[in-house]
Amino acid sequence: MSTHTDSTYKETISHGELAFPIKLYHTILKKKQHDLYLHWHAEMEIIYIAHGFGTFQIDNAPLDVCEGDILFIKKGALHSGTGSTLGCECYTLVFNLSFLQNQTFDVVESTYLMPLSKEVLMFPLRISPDDLGYAAILDCIKNMILLFETKPCAFELIVKGNLLSLFGLLFQNNHIITLKQPPLINKKLTAIKAVIAYIHEHYDQKISIKTLASISGYSDYHFIRFFQDETGMKCTDYMNHVRLSKAHHLLQQSDKSITEIAFDCGYENLSYFCKKYKNHYGMTPASSRRHS
C-alpha cells in the first residue's frame, strides 16, 4: 500500500471510487522497512494480519502484532507499520463510515453508526484469535477479501452487507467501547504532526534537530527521545526514510540523474545517499532504476 501525503502527512489518495468508497490493499511489510510509513487519513482501516509478525505505531503507542490479529485504526490516527524478520502479510480495508450511513436515520443509524461516526462509541484497537466471536468476525473479513479479489456479480452489495455484519458481531460480543467523555486533544500527537509536516515540506533541505525541537516545543535533548517514543523511529531514521521514499519515486518516474535526485532529496554526499539507499531497498539506485 503506497502512501501519498500532503504537507500535514494526511494521505491524499482516494480509496475506491466515488460510488463505492472502499478499497482492499494487500501489503507485505518487510524487516526494517516501514512500507506502511507514518500517515493519517479521514477514513478508518481494518487490518488483518494474515501471516508473520510486525509492529505498528498507532498515535503514540507501539503495538506488536502476530498472525491472526485484526486491527481497527480509527479515522485521523497517525500510524505506520513494519515487519519482523519473517515479514508481515496484511490485508487492509480502508473506508469512510459514511459509506454505510443513510439519510433515513433509522435505528441502525441512530443507535450504532452515528455514535461510531461521532466517536461516542469506539472500535477496539485489536481483536485476537482468543477473543469472543473471533471466528465469525474473521469470516466476514475473509469473505470481503475474496469478494474484492474475484469481483462476482453484485459483489459491492455483499461487501457492504459483510461490513454491517462485522459491526454487528463487534456489538454482540461486547468489543465496542463506550466513552464516558469526549477524548482529550492529544498535545503530543499535535506536536508530532507538526514536526512530520515540516520534514515533508523541507526534506530537500538541511533540517536540524534544533529546528524540529523548536516546532515541537521541546528542548533539543528531550525532543530526540520524544520523537522516538511517539513514532517508534529515531528522528534521523525517519528523515532518511522520507528522503529515500522521495528518491525511489524519482528514480522510477523521472529522467533525472542519480546525482540530481540525491541533491533534490536533501543528500549533499552522493556516496552516502547510495549507501543509505542500498541499505533500505536492498539494491543500488542504478539497479533500482533498471528494475523499474
Side-chain angles (χ1 to χ4, degrees), residues 120-283:
V120 176
L121 299 177
M122 297 291 291
F123 290 95
L125 180 58
R126 168 168 52 189
I127 299 291
S128 296
D130 291 335
D131 289 329
L132 287 173
Y134 174 83
I137 291 168
L138 181 59
D139 280 345
C140 285
I141 292 172
K142 285 187 172 180
N143 286 341
M144 287 187 281
I145 292 171
L146 182 61
L147 286 163
F148 271 101
E149 290 178 341
T150 59
K151 290 185 170 57
C153 177
F155 88 95
E156 300 95 338
L157 184 62
I158 307 172
V159 165
K160 196 167 187 176
N162 269 269
L163 203 51
L164 286 169
S165 294
L166 170 59
F167 286 8
L169 289 166
L170 292 175
F171 276 99
Q172 279 187 342
N173 290 282
N174 297 315
H175 293 307
I176 297 296
I177 302 162
T178 302
L179 295 184
K180 295 181 179 179
Q181 58 184 14
L184 298 174
I185 295 174
N186 189 325
K187 293 182 179 180
K188 289 184 177 181
L189 182 58
T190 300
I192 284 294
K193 284 186 175 181
V195 168
I196 61 175
Y198 185 89
I199 293 171
H200 188 70
E201 289 175 342
H202 301 277
Y203 68 90
D204 58 338
Q205 304 166 24
K206 187 173 183 179
I207 302 174
S208 69
I209 293 296
K210 186 176 184 66
T211 297
L212 298 179
S214 176
I215 292 169
S216 71
Y218 286 81
S219 67
D220 296 7
Y221 173 78
H222 287 99
F223 169 75
I224 294 172
R225 182 171 180 178
F226 162 71
F227 189 93
Q228 185 164 359
D229 286 347
E230 296 302 310
T231 67
M233 299 178 70
K234 293 180 180 178
C235 187
T236 51
D237 289 343
Y238 182 75
M239 285 192 284
N240 269 317
H241 180 80
V242 171
R243 286 168 169 156
L244 291 171
S245 296
K246 300 289 185 181
H248 183 70
H249 176 76
L250 288 172
L251 284 166
Q252 310 297 315
Q253 303 296 329
S254 79
D255 295 325
K256 289 185 175 182
S257 70
I258 292 173
T259 301
E260 285 180 293
I261 289 173
F263 285 118
D264 285 350
C265 294
Y267 290 97
E268 298 177 352
N269 185 296
L270 181 60
S271 296
Y272 179 74
F273 164 69
C274 292
K275 178 182 177 181
K276 284 293 183 181
Y277 191 94
K278 186 175 182 180
N279 287 342
H280 190 78
Y281 288 105
M283 63 180 72

Side-chain angles (χ1 to χ4, degrees), residues 83-137:
S84 67
T85 304
L86 299 175
C88 185
E89 182 180 7
C90 312
Y91 287 92
T92 303
L93 286 162
V94 184
F95 60 95
N96 196 305
L97 272 175
S98 61
F99 168 59
L100 298 177
Q101 294 177 276
N102 59 63
Q103 298 179 352
T104 60
F105 208 71
D106 57 12
V107 67
V108 173
E109 175 71 15
S110 61
T111 306
Y112 306 106
L113 297 181
M114 182 63 75
L116 285 170
S117 179
K118 297 293 186 182
E119 296 188 345
V120 176
L121 299 177
M122 297 291 291
F123 290 95
L125 180 58
R126 168 168 52 189
I127 299 291
S128 296
D130 291 335
D131 289 329
L132 287 173
Y134 174 83
I137 291 168

